[in-house]
Amino acid sequence: MALDEQIEQVANRLKTAQRMTVMTGAGVSVASGIPTFRGDEGFWKEVRPEQIATPQAFRKDPKFVWDWYDSRREKLKECSPNRGHEVLASWSNRFPDFTLITQNVDGLHELAGTKNVIRYHGSLWEVGCWEECPTSPHRWEDRTCPIPDHPPKCPYCGGLIRPGVVWFGEVIDPEVLVMSSQASRCDVFFTIGTSSLVYPAAGLVSDAKDHGAFTVEINTESTPSREVVDVSLVGKSENVLDQIELALSRSVSS
Ligand code: APR
């Protein structure tokens, strides 16, 4: 089926959807100027994840880890939401029960005005005490950028501060797991711009399908989710989402 026809099919299904859940990954932020992780120009081509995105890496060299995260924060400061983020933000108002689960730590969905965002892998704009000192909150917002001294110190205990993201080998916040699992019980589930390789996030689309959701993938390339979903839309999320939104507006007004 041609992409146009697939888009009509999806828009038709959306007309009656009440409960809608969207899972996003790095691909949705590419048009905002943020690299993916595993693409040709992805972050994991410039540095190996085990050198930078594990508790062991931080224990070994917190300054090296902070240099990298601070440079990501500096680049991110210049970035704004793209058309894909905007469409998803408008869906968060359109559908009566909408949840957006994002693996992205860039905060662009929130900046676009999306309601009900679950940050599966944390946020680049949050930090936490590495020692988990009893006086500090688990995570708090800190938008200081650039951070003057690497590694920065915890204002509560004077120990080290860590980036507020979930690293490889760490567990996802149990509350986030419960909320995401509940959200996967929905009428329509989208998985957008993610390689679907990192679990448990990658398992949510199958959960949704097993519970009867109509499932849709938007991606420029083939991923393991393509075998699972009802409809696979091949293209850039910023374009495909715009086209679905157009088809949806047409069908609602006709
Ligand atoms: N529109 C849609 N999809 C796109 C676009 C685009 N414009 N550009 C790239 N993609 C797709 C790629 O084809 C790829 O499948 O986005 C996906 C990005 O995959 P990854 O780089 O693996 O990013 P992601 O799936 O978000 O990574 C998951 O891995 O390292 C960790 O914690 C990090 O949250 C991240 C997790």
Side-chain angles (χ1 to χ4, degrees):
M1 203 191 277
L3 183 61
D4 284 2
E5 289 172 279
Q6 287 180 302
I7 284 173
E8 287 301 329
Q9 183 195 359
V10 170
N12 268 330
R13 185 64 191 80
L14 291 187
K15 273 197 280 183
T16 53
Q18 298 286 313
R19 200 150 196 237
M20 150 85 92
T21 299
V22 176
M23 150 70 73
T24 63
V28 299
S29 292
V30 167
S32 297
I34 302 172
T36 62
F37 291 92
R38 294 172 182 79
D40 286 343
E41 305 195 347
F43 288 120
W44 299 154
K45 290 277 153 47
E46 81 188 28
V47 62
R48 283 182 294 120
E50 54 275 26
Q51 280 180 296
I52 214 96
T54 64
Q56 293 79 357
F58 188 77
R59 194 171 296 118
K60 190 170 158 212
D61 195 344
K63 180 179 179 314
F64 180 70
V65 171
W66 264 114
D67 288 349
W68 191 72
Y69 278 97
D70 205 22
S71 86
R72 276 182 70 188
R73 283 160 63 111
E74 281 207 66
K75 286 178 197 142
L76 179 55
K77 261 199 318 193
E78 312 302 324
C79 298
S80 9
N82 63 60
R83 181 65 188 142
H85 294 109
E86 284 168 14
V87 170
L88 294 173
S90 77
W91 288 4
S92 74
N93 288 314
R94 181 193 286 267
F95 295 97
D97 190 348
F98 178 93
T99 306
L100 189 139
I101 305 166
T102 187
Q103 297 167 83
N104 299 344
V105 292
D106 54 33
L108 292 182
H109 287 300
E110 294 91 326
L111 204 56
T114 311
K115 293 181 189 147
N116 207 21
V117 176
I118 298 177
R119 292 185 200 144
Y120 211 81
H121 290 159
S123 167
L124 273 180
W125 300 115
E126 287 187 355
V127 297
C129 177
W130 170 243
E131 314 290 343
E132 297 179 2
C133 70
T135 40
S136 70
H138 175 59
R139 294 283 182 266
W140 67 92
E141 190 175 288
D142 185 339
R143 290 182 174 263
T144 316
C145 187
I147 291 172
D149 292 313
H150 294 183
K153 299 286 181 316
C154 174
Y156 298 91
C157 72
L160 293 178
I161 285 179
R162 59 163 288 164
V165 299
V166 179
W167 282 325
F168 287 97
E170 293 188 309
V171 294
I172 307 291
D173 179 341
E175 210 179 311
V176 163
L177 287 178
V178 170
M179 288 190 305
S180 304
S181 162
Q182 283 167 352
S184 71
R185 276 77 171 146
C186 55
D187 301 328
V188 180
F189 187 100
F190 275 77
T191 173
I192 310 179
T194 172
S195 55
S196 299
L197 293 174
V198 177
Y199 280 79
L204 286 168
V205 62
S206 302
D207 282 359
K209 173 121 181 126
D210 291 347
H211 286 90
F214 179 74
T215 49
V216 183
E217 177 175 54
I218 304 176
N219 202 303
T220 47
E221 289 171 7
S222 184
T223 78
S225 289
R226 192 164 292 179
E227 302 302 315
V228 175
V229 293
D230 295 296
V231 180
S232 162
L233 302 172
V234 180
K236 295 181 174 178
S237 50
E238 59 277 19
N239 298 338
V240 175
L241 284 166
D242 184 52
Q243 288 168 37
I244 298 174
E245 180 63 3
L246 267 174
L248 195 53
S249 322
R250 270 199 309 271
S251 65
V252 168
S253 58
S254 61

